[in-house]
Amino acid sequence: MKLTPEQRITLHGFNNLTKSLSFNMYDICYTKTKEEREAYLEYIDEQYNSDRLTHILKTVSDIIGAHVLNIAKQDYVPQGASVTMLVSEGPVVEVPTENFEETPGPLPETVVMQLDKSHITVHTYPEYHPDEGISTFRADIDVSTCGEISPLKALTYLIHSFDTDIMTIDYRVRGFTRDVSGHKLFIDHEISSIQNYIPDEAKDMYHMIDVNVYQENIFHTKCKLRNFDLNNYLFGYTKDKLSHEEQKDITESVQWEMDEIFYGKNIYPGTVEEEK
């Protein structure tokens, strides 16, 4: 088997690089009344309670080959939940055969590698506009690993685990490790874009923008759904119950919200060019 340059490097001791993946997802809903808003938040709170989030994080730990040491979870009042999971190197079933190519990770059928001294966390943030109309749900998931494996291998599963209108994804490699001659290594794998770790079917669904600082090993990708179906943003009814004018107003309101989240700023008329 031909080895890559990364695989030929003999390290001095443990691989001390820390690789951190932050996955942030947003679900947006139009809630015309207080009753609709409360029903939506109750639905979200049930869908993404701490038990379900714990299951998602356990599956992430399986995908990256980790052993769960401790779980702390909490459902909040009136809404929201958090789960923190400490993980360590899992049992090595076989010699790792992981390559260093930029490819999407697996769905939860296989354990691929091992790691040590790491953690996985999730926090949820239901939120709504003070004047009614728009409600949003955000979940922040952080996967931090030490050693050879990249948490980017969990990205495919995370995308499949949430109904997502907007995603922002950050990846950073911190610290350094040394080879046997004492030479510092600040990254141990090639990476040009987080997009290369996202499955093709997901890339086809989203408009994506990269903001990368290659010399600092910092990578950022944000994604917004390409196709808009108003029915996906109404709670408890469909657009055929609305007048044409109501459909137009709600569509503009929801798309405005999506643009502001995607671009990370308050948007005023004429400040963002319409996407081609």
Side-chain angles (χ1 to χ4, degrees):
M1 180 180 70
K2 184 178 179 180
L3 297 178
T4 67
E6 290 88 352
Q7 288 171 306
R8 293 195 195 99
I9 295 172
T10 303
L11 297 181
H12 169 68
F14 181 74
N15 187 332
N16 290 312
L17 290 170
T18 297
K19 301 165 187 175
S20 298
L21 170 70
S22 292
F23 174 83
N24 312 106
M25 61 75 62
Y26 297 83
D27 179 82
I28 300 166
C29 184
Y30 181 80
T31 51
K32 184 177 181 180
T33 65
K34 178 181 178 182
E35 289 73 25
E36 287 181 17
R37 184 188 74 212
E38 291 176 348
Y40 169 74
L41 294 178
E42 183 178 348
Y43 166 78
I44 286 294
D45 226 30
E46 179 60 31
Q47 281 289 104
Y48 298 105
N49 59 38
S50 63
D51 287 338
R52 185 186 176 198
L53 295 172
T54 298
H55 173 75
I56 290 173
L57 296 197
K58 283 183 176 179
T59 305
V60 169
S61 78
D62 286 342
I63 288 173
I64 63 178
H67 174 68
V68 177
L69 296 175
N70 178 267
I71 299 174
K73 61 181 180 178
Q74 180 66 50
D75 289 297
Y76 300 111
V77 176
Q79 65 263 331
S82 295
V83 180
T84 299
M85 183 179 293
L86 296 179
V87 293
S88 68
E89 180 178 345
V92 181
V93 179
E94 58 186 26
V95 176
T97 57
E98 182 75 358
N99 61 41
F100 290 86
E101 295 179 0
E102 296 178 70
T103 56
L107 288 172
E109 278 92 22
T110 53
V111 176
V112 292
M113 286 190 71
Q114 71 275 5
L115 72 167
D116 200 5
K117 301 181 184 69
S118 306
H119 67 269
I120 311 170
T121 65
V122 58
H123 305 284
T124 67
Y125 303 89
E127 184 269 349
Y128 54 89
H129 193 283
D131 296 329
E132 313 294 351
I134 295 290
S135 294
T136 60
F137 165 69
R138 181 176 111 237
D140 294 349
I141 296 180
D142 292 289
V143 184
S144 182
T145 69
C146 296
E148 296 177 6
I149 193 171
S150 170
L152 287 165
K153 292 302 180 184
L155 189 52
T156 296
Y157 171 69
L158 290 174
I159 293 172
H160 278 79
S161 297
F162 296 91
D163 294 323
T164 305
D165 297 312
I166 306 284
M167 297 185 293
T168 60
I169 307 163
D170 295 281
Y171 177 68
R172 181 172 184 177
V173 181
R174 293 176 293 178
F176 64 88
T177 194
R178 296 180 187 270
D179 65 17
V180 290
S181 67
H183 181 73
K184 294 185 182 72
L185 303 173
F186 293 93
I187 193 168
D188 62 356
H189 65 97
E190 296 276 340
I191 175 172
S192 59
S193 172
I194 293 172
Q195 291 191 37
N196 295 332
Y197 293 86
I198 298 175
D200 288 340
E201 62 269 23
K203 286 193 282 191
D204 291 340
M205 293 171 58
Y206 291 91
H207 172 64
M208 297 185 177
I209 294 178
D210 274 8
V211 181
N212 301 321
V213 186
Y214 296 105
Q215 65 271 27
E216 300 294 337
N217 297 322
I218 297 172
F219 303 88
H220 174 78
T221 297
K222 50 188 178 182
C223 318
K224 183 181 72 169
L225 276 179
R226 293 180 183 274
N227 297 324
F228 184 89
D229 182 352
L230 181 57
N231 283 329
N232 294 332
Y233 300 91
L234 302 174
F235 190 75
Y237 58 95
T238 54
K239 64 184 180 182
D240 60 291
K241 304 296 183 182
L242 303 169
S243 69
H244 177 74
E245 190 63 29
E246 285 176 317
Q247 291 184 36
K248 180 176 179 293
D249 289 344
I250 295 172
T251 295
E252 289 179 354
S253 179
V254 172
Q255 290 184 330
W256 194 296
E257 183 80 3
M258 291 176 68
D259 282 344
E260 290 193 332
I261 294 172
F262 183 64
Y263 291 105
K265 62 182 180 180
N266 291 302
I267 294 173
Y268 305 97
T271 59
V272 175
E273 292 186 4
E274 188 174 341
E275 292 172 14
K276 305 298 183 184

